[in-house]
Amino acid sequence: MIEIISFGFVHAPAPPAETVVDLRRHFRDPHVDPALRELTGLDDEVRAKVIRTPGIPPLIDVLAGTVNAFLVGSAVIPTRVAVGCTGGRHRSVVVAVEVARRVRKDRGVDIRVRHRDIDQPVLPRGGAHGDR
């Protein structure tokens, strides 16, 4: 079983996982756009913005490859991949959903996607969280 978890570092530590990815410092936060701030990575506008972020498409490719490698190595134990951003509402949600979509398409396996912090309140903007 594969589980991909999106989360926000400011709410709690990263969940236990074989692979943890931190999107905070390298990929621009859609939260900076007031029109996107109250939305989540499940909304088309946020998804489009994140997918167009330089570096995100190849990152999704690499993470899908990582999940596929775990599936080949041992499909009998649960495998978790955790994708984190600051609040867990935008970037991490999009990346988690896209990696799951890609692996489902490539391998035809069932993948559980869980968004740990998507329902947390929107954080005030301030840059104190190591974000760009």
Side-chain angles (χ1 to χ4, degrees):
M1 196 260 298
I2 301 290
E3 180 179 37
I4 302 176
I5 306 162
S6 71
F7 70 97
F9 281 96
V10 298
H11 301 295
E18 281 68 34
T19 300
V20 177
V21 178
D22 183 346
L23 304 174
R24 292 177 291 181
R25 293 181 55 200
H26 297 284
F27 303 103
R28 189 151 178 84
D29 189 353
H31 184 276
V32 300
D33 181 343
L36 302 178
R37 191 167 296 149
E38 298 291 330
L39 302 176
T40 74
L42 299 177
D43 292 296
D44 290 339
E45 303 92 333
V46 174
R47 181 190 172 284
K49 181 85 167 186
V50 172
I51 293 297
R52 286 192 312 266
T53 301
I56 290 290
L59 178 67
I60 290 168
D61 291 342
V62 167
L63 288 174
T66 300
V67 171
N68 282 323
F70 278 114
L71 283 169
V72 170
S74 176
V76 297
I77 60 170
T79 298
R80 288 177 196 88
V81 174
V83 182
C85 59
T86 302
R89 294 177 46 92
H90 297 100
R91 294 166 289 181
S92 62
V93 171
V94 172
V95 171
V97 167
E98 288 302 308
V99 169
R101 184 190 61 76
R102 177 81 52 84
V103 174
R104 283 182 190 117
K105 179 181 158 198
D106 293 348
R107 310 262 315 169
V109 296
D110 188 36
I111 297 178
R112 179 178 174 208
V113 178
R114 182 167 57 96
H115 304 297
R116 186 186 79 183
D117 299 319
I118 197 169
D119 293 324
Q120 292 288 337
V122 174
L123 297 169
R125 190 71 196 146
H129 306 294
D131 253 327
R132 299 176 24 162

PDB file of all heavy atoms in Angstrom, residues 3-7 9 14-23 63 79-85 92 96 114 116:
ATOM      1  N   GLU A   3       0.907   5.399   0.524  1.00  0.00           N
ATOM      2  CA  GLU A   3       0.184   6.559   1.035  1.00  0.00           C
ATOM      3  C   GLU A   3       1.047   7.795   0.789  1.00  0.00           C
ATOM      4  O   GLU A   3       2.232   7.808   1.123  1.00  0.00           O
ATOM      5  CB  GLU A   3      -0.106   6.412   2.523  1.00  0.00           C
ATOM      6  CG  GLU A   3      -0.865   7.590   3.090  1.00  0.00           C
ATOM      7  CD  GLU A   3      -1.182   7.442   4.565  1.00  0.00           C
ATOM      8  OE1 GLU A   3      -0.345   6.907   5.318  1.00  0.00           O
ATOM      9  OE2 GLU A   3      -2.266   7.889   4.960  1.00  0.00           O
ATOM     10  N   ILE A   4       0.442   8.815   0.196  1.00  0.00           N
ATOM     11  CA  ILE A   4       1.118  10.089   0.007  1.00  0.00           C
ATOM     12  C   ILE A   4       0.393  11.107   0.875  1.00  0.00           C
ATOM     13  O   ILE A   4      -0.826  11.256   0.780  1.00  0.00           O
ATOM     14  CB  ILE A   4       1.114  10.511  -1.470  1.00  0.00           C
ATOM     15  CG1 ILE A   4       1.800   9.427  -2.316  1.00  0.00           C
ATOM     16  CG2 ILE A   4       1.813  11.859  -1.630  1.00  0.00           C
ATOM     17  CD1 ILE A   4       1.769   9.683  -3.797  1.00  0.00           C
ATOM     18  N   ILE A   5       1.148  11.765   1.746  1.00  0.00           N
ATOM     19  CA  ILE A   5       0.579  12.685   2.723  1.00  0.00           C
ATOM     20  C   ILE A   5       1.085  14.093   2.437  1.00  0.00           C
ATOM     21  O   ILE A   5       2.297  14.316   2.371  1.00  0.00           O
ATOM     22  CB  ILE A   5       0.999  12.289   4.152  1.00  0.00           C
ATOM     23  CG1 ILE A   5       0.646  10.831   4.433  1.00  0.00           C
ATOM     24  CG2 ILE A   5       0.378  13.225   5.182  1.00  0.00           C
ATOM     25  CD1 ILE A   5       1.385  10.238   5.613  1.00  0.00           C
ATOM     26  N   SER A   6       0.154  15.028   2.264  1.00  0.00           N
ATOM     27  CA  SER A   6       0.558  16.440   2.211  1.00  0.00           C
ATOM     28  C   SER A   6       0.405  17.000   3.618  1.00  0.00           C
ATOM     29  O   SER A   6      -0.454  16.564   4.381  1.00  0.00           O
ATOM     30  CB  SER A   6      -0.300  17.219   1.210  1.00  0.00           C
ATOM     31  OG  SER A   6      -1.615  17.390   1.673  1.00  0.00           O
ATOM     32  N   PHE A   7       1.254  17.955   3.963  1.00  0.00           N
ATOM     33  CA  PHE A   7       1.207  18.510   5.317  1.00  0.00           C
ATOM     34  C   PHE A   7       1.881  19.868   5.354  1.00  0.00           C
ATOM     35  O   PHE A   7       2.572  20.262   4.412  1.00  0.00           O
ATOM     36  CB  PHE A   7       1.878  17.554   6.323  1.00  0.00           C
ATOM     37  CG  PHE A   7       3.375  17.479   6.166  1.00  0.00           C
ATOM     38  CD1 PHE A   7       4.206  18.252   6.971  1.00  0.00           C
ATOM     39  CD2 PHE A   7       3.957  16.670   5.208  1.00  0.00           C
ATOM     40  CE1 PHE A   7       5.580  18.205   6.832  1.00  0.00           C
ATOM     41  CE2 PHE A   7       5.332  16.616   5.050  1.00  0.00           C
ATOM     42  CZ  PHE A   7       6.143  17.380   5.862  1.00  0.00           C
ATOM     43  N   PHE A   9       4.500  22.171   7.667  1.00  0.00           N
ATOM     44  CA  PHE A   9       5.512  22.096   8.717  1.00  0.00           C
ATOM     45  C   PHE A   9       5.167  22.935   9.941  1.00  0.00           C
ATOM     46  O   PHE A   9       5.603  22.617  11.044  1.00  0.00           O
ATOM     47  CB  PHE A   9       6.875  22.544   8.176  1.00  0.00           C
ATOM     48  CG  PHE A   9       7.583  21.498   7.363  1.00  0.00           C
ATOM     49  CD1 PHE A   9       7.490  21.500   5.981  1.00  0.00           C
ATOM     50  CD2 PHE A   9       8.358  20.527   7.975  1.00  0.00           C
ATOM     51  CE1 PHE A   9       8.158  20.551   5.216  1.00  0.00           C
ATOM     52  CE2 PHE A   9       9.024  19.567   7.224  1.00  0.00           C
ATOM     53  CZ  PHE A   9       8.927  19.580   5.843  1.00  0.00           C
ATOM     54  N   ALA A  14       6.924  16.628  10.392  1.00  0.00           N
ATOM     55  CA  ALA A  14       6.612  15.762   9.253  1.00  0.00           C
ATOM     56  C   ALA A  14       6.146  14.399   9.753  1.00  0.00           C
ATOM     57  O   ALA A  14       6.680  13.885  10.743  1.00  0.00           O
ATOM     58  CB  ALA A  14       7.848  15.589   8.375  1.00  0.00           C
ATOM     59  N   PRO A  15       5.156  13.818   9.087  1.00  0.00           N
ATOM     60  CA  PRO A  15       4.720  12.481   9.497  1.00  0.00           C
ATOM     61  C   PRO A  15       5.804  11.448   9.168  1.00  0.00           C
ATOM     62  O   PRO A  15       6.635  11.683   8.273  1.00  0.00           O
ATOM     63  CB  PRO A  15       3.462  12.245   8.657  1.00  0.00           C
ATOM     64  CG  PRO A  15       3.550  13.186   7.523  1.00  0.00           C
ATOM     65  CD  PRO A  15       4.391  14.344   7.968  1.00  0.00           C
ATOM     66  N   PRO A  16       5.796  10.331   9.856  1.00  0.00           N
ATOM     67  CA  PRO A  16       6.769   9.281   9.524  1.00  0.00           C
ATOM     68  C   PRO A  16       6.579   8.841   8.073  1.00  0.00           C
ATOM     69  O   PRO A  16       5.457   8.613   7.635  1.00  0.00           O
ATOM     70  CB  PRO A  16       6.419   8.136  10.480  1.00  0.00           C
ATOM     71  CG  PRO A  16       5.541   8.730  11.527  1.00  0.00           C
ATOM     72  CD  PRO A  16       4.897   9.940  10.936  1.00  0.00           C
ATOM     73  N   ALA A  17       7.689   8.740   7.337  1.00  0.00           N
ATOM     74  CA  ALA A  17       7.615   8.365   5.920  1.00  0.00           C
ATOM     75  C   ALA A  17       8.983   7.882   5.452  1.00  0.00           C
ATOM     76  O   ALA A  17      10.008   8.237   6.029  1.00  0.00           O
ATOM     77  CB  ALA A  17       7.168   9.566   5.085  1.00  0.00           C
ATOM     78  N   GLU A  18       8.972   7.105   4.390  1.00  0.00           N
ATOM     79  CA  GLU A  18      10.225   6.681   3.770  1.00  0.00           C
ATOM     80  C   GLU A  18      10.904   7.847   3.062  1.00  0.00           C
ATOM     81  O   GLU A  18      12.126   7.919   3.003  1.00  0.00           O
ATOM     82  CB  GLU A  18       9.965   5.532   2.771  1.00  0.00           C
ATOM     83  CG  GLU A  18       9.786   4.170   3.410  1.00  0.00           C
ATOM     84  CD  GLU A  18       8.503   4.043   4.219  1.00  0.00           C
ATOM     85  OE1 GLU A  18       7.473   4.634   3.860  1.00  0.00           O
ATOM     86  OE2 GLU A  18       8.544   3.339   5.244  1.00  0.00           O
ATOM     87  N   THR A  19      10.101   8.747   2.527  1.00  0.00           N
ATOM     88  CA  THR A  19      10.625   9.929   1.844  1.00  0.00           C
ATOM     89  C   THR A  19       9.848  11.152   2.311  1.00  0.00           C
ATOM     90  O   THR A  19       8.615  11.128   2.321  1.00  0.00           O
ATOM     91  CB  THR A  19      10.466   9.793   0.310  1.00  0.00           C
ATOM     92  OG1 THR A  19      11.193   8.642  -0.123  1.00  0.00           O
ATOM     93  CG2 THR A  19      10.986  11.014  -0.417  1.00  0.00           C
ATOM     94  N   VAL A  20      10.567  12.203   2.720  1.00  0.00           N
ATOM     95  CA  VAL A  20       9.940  13.471   3.098  1.00  0.00           C
ATOM     96  C   VAL A  20      10.516  14.553   2.190  1.00  0.00           C
ATOM     97  O   VAL A  20      11.730  14.675   2.050  1.00  0.00           O
ATOM     98  CB  VAL A  20      10.216  13.829   4.579  1.00  0.00           C
ATOM     99  CG1 VAL A  20       9.626  15.191   4.922  1.00  0.00           C
ATOM    100  CG2 VAL A  20       9.670  12.750   5.510  1.00  0.00           C
ATOM    101  N   VAL A  21       9.624  15.334   1.578  1.00  0.00           N
ATOM    102  CA  VAL A  21      10.035  16.398   0.666  1.00  0.00           C
ATOM    103  C   VAL A  21       9.574  17.731   1.252  1.00  0.00           C
ATOM    104  O   VAL A  21       8.411  17.885   1.628  1.00  0.00           O
ATOM    105  CB  VAL A  21       9.408  16.182  -0.731  1.00  0.00           C
ATOM    106  CG1 VAL A  21       9.788  17.311  -1.668  1.00  0.00           C
ATOM    107  CG2 VAL A  21       9.832  14.843  -1.296  1.00  0.00           C
ATOM    108  N   ASP A  22      10.489  18.694   1.311  1.00  0.00           N
ATOM    109  CA  ASP A  22      10.210  20.020   1.846  1.00  0.00           C
ATOM    110  C   ASP A  22      10.203  21.023   0.697  1.00  0.00           C
ATOM    111  O   ASP A  22      11.234  21.292   0.092  1.00  0.00           O
ATOM    112  CB  ASP A  22      11.291  20.374   2.873  1.00  0.00           C
ATOM    113  CG  ASP A  22      11.069  21.705   3.559  1.00  0.00           C
ATOM    114  OD1 ASP A  22      10.235  22.508   3.092  1.00  0.00           O
ATOM    115  OD2 ASP A  22      11.754  21.952   4.572  1.00  0.00           O
ATOM    116  N   LEU A  23       9.032  21.576   0.398  1.00  0.00           N
ATOM    117  CA  LEU A  23       8.867  22.504  -0.724  1.00  0.00           C
ATOM    118  C   LEU A  23       9.041  23.974  -0.335  1.00  0.00           C
ATOM    119  O   LEU A  23       8.995  24.848  -1.201  1.00  0.00           O
ATOM    120  CB  LEU A  23       7.467  22.327  -1.335  1.00  0.00           C
ATOM    121  CG  LEU A  23       7.102  20.929  -1.797  1.00  0.00           C
ATOM    122  CD1 LEU A  23       5.645  20.888  -2.240  1.00  0.00           C
ATOM    123  CD2 LEU A  23       8.021  20.471  -2.909  1.00  0.00           C
ATOM    124  N   LEU A  63       9.526  12.131  -7.883  1.00  0.00           N
ATOM    125  CA  LEU A  63       8.769  11.502  -6.790  1.00  0.00           C
ATOM    126  C   LEU A  63       7.943  10.315  -7.282  1.00  0.00           C
ATOM    127  O   LEU A  63       7.850   9.291  -6.595  1.00  0.00           O
ATOM    128  CB  LEU A  63       7.871  12.525  -6.103  1.00  0.00           C
ATOM    129  CG  LEU A  63       8.609  13.544  -5.242  1.00  0.00           C
ATOM    130  CD1 LEU A  63       7.638  14.601  -4.725  1.00  0.00           C
ATOM    131  CD2 LEU A  63       9.320  12.861  -4.093  1.00  0.00           C
ATOM    132  N   THR A  79       4.132   1.925   2.325  1.00  0.00           N
ATOM    133  CA  THR A  79       5.156   2.901   1.981  1.00  0.00           C
ATOM    134  C   THR A  79       4.514   4.277   2.027  1.00  0.00           C
ATOM    135  O   THR A  79       3.440   4.479   1.462  1.00  0.00           O
ATOM    136  CB  THR A  79       5.717   2.636   0.572  1.00  0.00           C
ATOM    137  OG1 THR A  79       6.322   1.338   0.564  1.00  0.00           O
ATOM    138  CG2 THR A  79       6.755   3.675   0.193  1.00  0.00           C
ATOM    139  N   ARG A  80       5.158   5.203   2.719  1.00  0.00           N
ATOM    140  CA  ARG A  80       4.622   6.562   2.846  1.00  0.00           C
ATOM    141  C   ARG A  80       5.608   7.571   2.276  1.00  0.00           C
ATOM    142  O   ARG A  80       6.804   7.486   2.521  1.00  0.00           O
ATOM    143  CB  ARG A  80       4.355   6.880   4.304  1.00  0.00           C
ATOM    144  CG  ARG A  80       3.169   6.140   4.852  1.00  0.00           C
ATOM    145  CD  ARG A  80       2.950   6.398   6.339  1.00  0.00           C
ATOM    146  NE  ARG A  80       2.060   5.384   6.852  1.00  0.00           N
ATOM    147  CZ  ARG A  80       2.440   4.195   7.326  1.00  0.00           C
ATOM    148  NH1 ARG A  80       3.712   3.884   7.364  1.00  0.00           N
ATOM    149  NH2 ARG A  80       1.544   3.329   7.763  1.00  0.00           N
ATOM    150  N   VAL A  81       5.050   8.519   1.542  1.00  0.00           N
ATOM    151  CA  VAL A  81       5.791   9.666   1.044  1.00  0.00           C
ATOM    152  C   VAL A  81       5.090  10.892   1.611  1.00  0.00           C
ATOM    153  O   VAL A  81       3.865  11.018   1.493  1.00  0.00           O
ATOM    154  CB  VAL A  81       5.800   9.709  -0.503  1.00  0.00           C
ATOM    155  CG1 VAL A  81       6.443  10.990  -1.003  1.00  0.00           C
ATOM    156  CG2 VAL A  81       6.501   8.480  -1.055  1.00  0.00           C
ATOM    157  N   ALA A  82       5.832  11.765   2.263  1.00  0.00           N
ATOM    158  CA  ALA A  82       5.263  12.975   2.854  1.00  0.00           C
ATOM    159  C   ALA A  82       5.794  14.191   2.104  1.00  0.00           C
ATOM    160  O   ALA A  82       6.994  14.320   1.884  1.00  0.00           O
ATOM    161  CB  ALA A  82       5.628  13.059   4.334  1.00  0.00           C
ATOM    162  N   VAL A  83       4.869  15.058   1.695  1.00  0.00           N
ATOM    163  CA  VAL A  83       5.222  16.261   0.938  1.00  0.00           C
ATOM    164  C   VAL A  83       4.758  17.456   1.752  1.00  0.00           C
ATOM    165  O   VAL A  83       3.561  17.608   2.022  1.00  0.00           O
ATOM    166  CB  VAL A  83       4.550  16.261  -0.452  1.00  0.00           C
ATOM    167  CG1 VAL A  83       4.975  17.493  -1.230  1.00  0.00           C
ATOM    168  CG2 VAL A  83       4.870  14.989  -1.217  1.00  0.00           C
ATOM    169  N   GLY A  84       5.709  18.293   2.169  1.00  0.00           N
ATOM    170  CA  GLY A  84       5.364  19.403   3.050  1.00  0.00           C
ATOM    171  C   GLY A  84       5.668  20.765   2.460  1.00  0.00           C
ATOM    172  O   GLY A  84       6.610  20.945   1.697  1.00  0.00           O
ATOM    173  N   CYS A  85       4.826  21.710   2.836  1.00  0.00           N
ATOM    174  CA  CYS A  85       5.074  23.123   2.568  1.00  0.00           C
ATOM    175  C   CYS A  85       4.813  23.855   3.885  1.00  0.00           C
ATOM    176  O   CYS A  85       4.769  23.228   4.938  1.00  0.00           O
ATOM    177  CB  CYS A  85       4.230  23.645   1.405  1.00  0.00           C
ATOM    178  SG  CYS A  85       2.444  23.506   1.606  1.00  0.00           S
ATOM    179  N   SER A  92       2.017  21.529  -1.303  1.00  0.00           N
ATOM    180  CA  SER A  92       2.114  20.115  -0.942  1.00  0.00           C
ATOM    181  C   SER A  92       0.907  19.321  -1.420  1.00  0.00           C
ATOM    182  O   SER A  92       1.037  18.168  -1.835  1.00  0.00           O
ATOM    183  CB  SER A  92       2.292  19.956   0.571  1.00  0.00           C
ATOM    184  OG  SER A  92       1.170  20.464   1.277  1.00  0.00           O
ATOM    185  N   ALA A  96       1.304  16.202  -4.010  1.00  0.00           N
ATOM    186  CA  ALA A  96       0.828  14.884  -3.564  1.00  0.00           C
ATOM    187  C   ALA A  96      -0.189  14.299  -4.537  1.00  0.00           C
ATOM    188  O   ALA A  96      -0.101  13.130  -4.929  1.00  0.00           O
ATOM    189  CB  ALA A  96       0.233  14.992  -2.161  1.00  0.00           C
ATOM    190  N   ARG A 114      -3.610  11.582   1.485  1.00  0.00           N
ATOM    191  CA  ARG A 114      -4.193  12.208   2.675  1.00  0.00           C
ATOM    192  C   ARG A 114      -3.608  13.602   2.821  1.00  0.00           C
ATOM    193  O   ARG A 114      -2.396  13.790   2.736  1.00  0.00           O
ATOM    194  CB  ARG A 114      -3.883  11.363   3.912  1.00  0.00           C
ATOM    195  CG  ARG A 114      -4.485  11.909   5.182  1.00  0.00           C
ATOM    196  CD  ARG A 114      -4.437  10.906   6.330  1.00  0.00           C
ATOM    197  NE  ARG A 114      -3.112  10.432   6.655  1.00  0.00           N
ATOM    198  CZ  ARG A 114      -2.339  10.937   7.619  1.00  0.00           C
ATOM    199  NH1 ARG A 114      -2.749  11.959   8.334  1.00  0.00           N
ATOM    200  NH2 ARG A 114      -1.155  10.424   7.856  1.00  0.00           N
ATOM    201  N   ARG A 116      -3.156  16.148   5.453  1.00  0.00           N
ATOM    202  CA  ARG A 116      -3.215  16.286   6.905  1.00  0.00           C
ATOM    203  C   ARG A 116      -3.683  17.663   7.355  1.00  0.00           C
ATOM    204  O   ARG A 116      -4.472  17.767   8.300  1.00  0.00           O
ATOM    205  CB  ARG A 116      -1.828  15.983   7.499  1.00  0.00           C
ATOM    206  CG  ARG A 116      -1.823  15.966   9.018  1.00  0.00           C
ATOM    207  CD  ARG A 116      -0.447  15.820   9.586  1.00  0.00           C
ATOM    208  NE  ARG A 116       0.259  17.105   9.562  1.00  0.00           N
ATOM    209  CZ  ARG A 116       1.515  17.260   9.951  1.00  0.00           C
ATOM    210  NH1 ARG A 116       2.218  16.222  10.358  1.00  0.00           N
ATOM    211  NH2 ARG A 116       2.073  18.459   9.913  1.00  0.00           N
TER     212      ARG A 116
END
